[in-house]
Amino acid sequence: MILAQAMAKLRSCASNPEEIAAQGARLYTNSQADIRDWLWTFHEPKERVLSVSSTPTRVRDFPGRLWLLDDVTEEWRAQQARLRAEEALRLEQEKTERLLLNMLPQSVAKLLKQEARTIAEGYADATILFADIVDFTQLAERVSPEELIYLLNEIFSAFDQLTEKHGLEKIKTIGDAYMVAGGLPERTSDHAEAIAEMALDMREFIEDFNRRRDVSLRLRTGINTGPVVAGVIGTKKFHYDLWGDTVNTASRMESHGLPGHIHVTQATYERLHGKYAFTERGRIPIKGKGEMNTWLLEGRKN
């Protein structure tokens, strides 16, 4: 109020804009300040109106004259509205980004945002793992739906962490089955070893899970190595998936495998036998493939 009275007195006494500017400038210590509770209306010199308002405004001290900006109330409100809109847009973009990264690999999501085209790429060498939880259907009959989902989420969340640990790419879950790949979308040379470590860690986790939960679940795991095609399908719910004989054979290794064991093809065995211990299963009939020589991955070599 003191400042308002001082400015009103100044207006009534001063004879020209230069004098007003010189004397008014002494009332301010900053070249730019926020004045709350007062909105000053100070037009070109002939107008002698000083009005006050209860909304914030900006005051600027220009060399040679003092301007108390008019119409700042609407300008300030518009600016605040723009800032709120920009912040809301930024938060929505971040949310969309997180959702997209939950569905797609980061490099694929980035490509999809940049180019509106079909995304497909061939990989000459990759390793695929399928794992199915044996006896899960029987467990589902003994527990409530809520508890069933809780247990499944605990298992798959642990598998997700192992995927991150070994630098692999989770492809999808199908019911109580889990699919993961190595060597894509970023090409690596150690994808077979990374998948082997993943499979052993998954088996170890299930054994610990059984002890903690007093259940008797087992994993049946299948692995194969070879060329695949990867791409994004769908227009509403994007999905990154894999195709090719390598994928089909990895699935067959799982379905023709043994509970509690890691069943691998000859191609995967040849990549790993120097570092890991195997038991030869021999030639067995595989649906759609005929007889194949397969192996059981037992563990790491000492």
Side-chain angles (χ1 to χ4, degrees), residues 34 75 83 107 117 131 146 150 154 161 169 226 233 271:
D34 285 334
E75 180 188 346
L83 291 174
S107 59
R117 65 175 180 83
E146 293 79 8
Y150 180 84
E154 183 179 348
Q161 292 176 3
E169 188 64 43
I233 58 175
R271 303 290 186 92

Side-chain angles (χ1 to χ4, degrees), residues 50-98:
L50 181 65
S51 62
V52 293
S53 170
S54 60
T55 55
T57 184
R58 291 194 308 275
V59 178
R60 296 178 186 271
D61 180 9
F62 289 92
R65 60 183 177 177
L66 185 67
W67 287 85
L68 300 175
L69 300 183
D70 191 12
D71 243 359
V72 233
T73 304
E74 290 304 318
E75 180 188 346
W76 180 81
R77 287 175 177 165
Q79 182 188 47
Q80 296 304 306
R82 285 195 302 272
L83 291 174
R84 287 193 296 270
E86 290 170 0
E87 178 66 10
L89 179 60
R90 184 186 67 81
L91 292 175
E92 282 301 314
Q93 288 175 335
E94 288 182 357
K95 182 180 178 181
T96 302
E97 181 82 10
R98 287 194 299 270

